[in-house]
Amino acid sequence: MFIVGFGEQGAVFLLGTDERHGSGADAVRSLDAVNRGVALVEAGHREAFLTQAENLDLEPEAGATIGGLNSSRGDPVVVTLYRAAGR
């Protein structure tokens, strides 16, 4: 699991310790390199993520979009789960 723009510490309890964090471009490269990889992308990073995907001729498929609040600051957050198409 690659996480972009979302640093909620409690995610480790749900997603496990194999998660990686970085930019949208890093997430796209991870989707390209990891078989059955997925990325959780915060809305503010979506455009950069999709632009990098287009640059690498990848078409990530969007799955669930989840909205909530950042528990440490109370700010709204929206994240979307992506996977590489055809994987």
mmCIF file of all heavy atoms in Angstrom, residues 2 11 68 83:
data_model
loop_
_atom_site.group_PDB
_atom_site.id
_atom_site.type_symbol
_atom_site.label_atom_id
_atom_site.label_comp_id
_atom_site.label_asym_id
_atom_site.label_seq_id
_atom_site.Cartn_x
_atom_site.Cartn_y
_atom_site.Cartn_z
ATOM 1 N N PHE A 2 0.614 2.143 -0.890
ATOM 2 C CA PHE A 2 1.335 3.404 -0.958
ATOM 3 C C PHE A 2 0.363 4.507 -0.587
ATOM 4 O O PHE A 2 -0.749 4.560 -1.118
ATOM 5 C CB PHE A 2 1.883 3.633 -2.373
ATOM 6 C CG PHE A 2 3.057 4.549 -2.390
ATOM 7 C CD1 PHE A 2 4.338 4.045 -2.488
ATOM 8 C CD2 PHE A 2 2.894 5.912 -2.278
ATOM 9 C CE1 PHE A 2 5.435 4.883 -2.480
ATOM 10 C CE2 PHE A 2 3.974 6.763 -2.269
ATOM 11 C CZ PHE A 2 5.256 6.247 -2.371
ATOM 12 N N ALA A 11 -3.566 4.590 10.585
ATOM 13 C CA ALA A 11 -3.655 3.781 9.366
ATOM 14 C C ALA A 11 -2.861 2.491 9.498
ATOM 15 O O ALA A 11 -3.219 1.475 8.901
ATOM 16 C CB ALA A 11 -3.166 4.579 8.160
ATOM 17 N N GLY A 68 -13.578 11.958 5.508
ATOM 18 C CA GLY A 68 -13.618 11.962 6.961
ATOM 19 C C GLY A 68 -12.879 13.169 7.497
ATOM 20 O O GLY A 68 -12.698 14.163 6.795
ATOM 21 N N ARG A 83 -5.693 1.358 -8.124
ATOM 22 C CA ARG A 83 -4.843 0.228 -8.492
ATOM 23 C C ARG A 83 -4.533 0.358 -9.973
ATOM 24 O O ARG A 83 -5.264 1.027 -10.721
ATOM 25 C CB ARG A 83 -5.504 -1.106 -8.192
ATOM 26 C CG ARG A 83 -6.674 -1.415 -9.083
ATOM 27 C CD ARG A 83 -7.305 -2.745 -8.709
ATOM 28 N NE ARG A 83 -8.388 -3.020 -9.616
ATOM 29 C CZ ARG A 83 -8.493 -4.104 -10.355
ATOM 30 N NH1 ARG A 83 -7.565 -5.034 -10.280
ATOM 31 N NH2 ARG A 83 -9.501 -4.277 -11.162
#
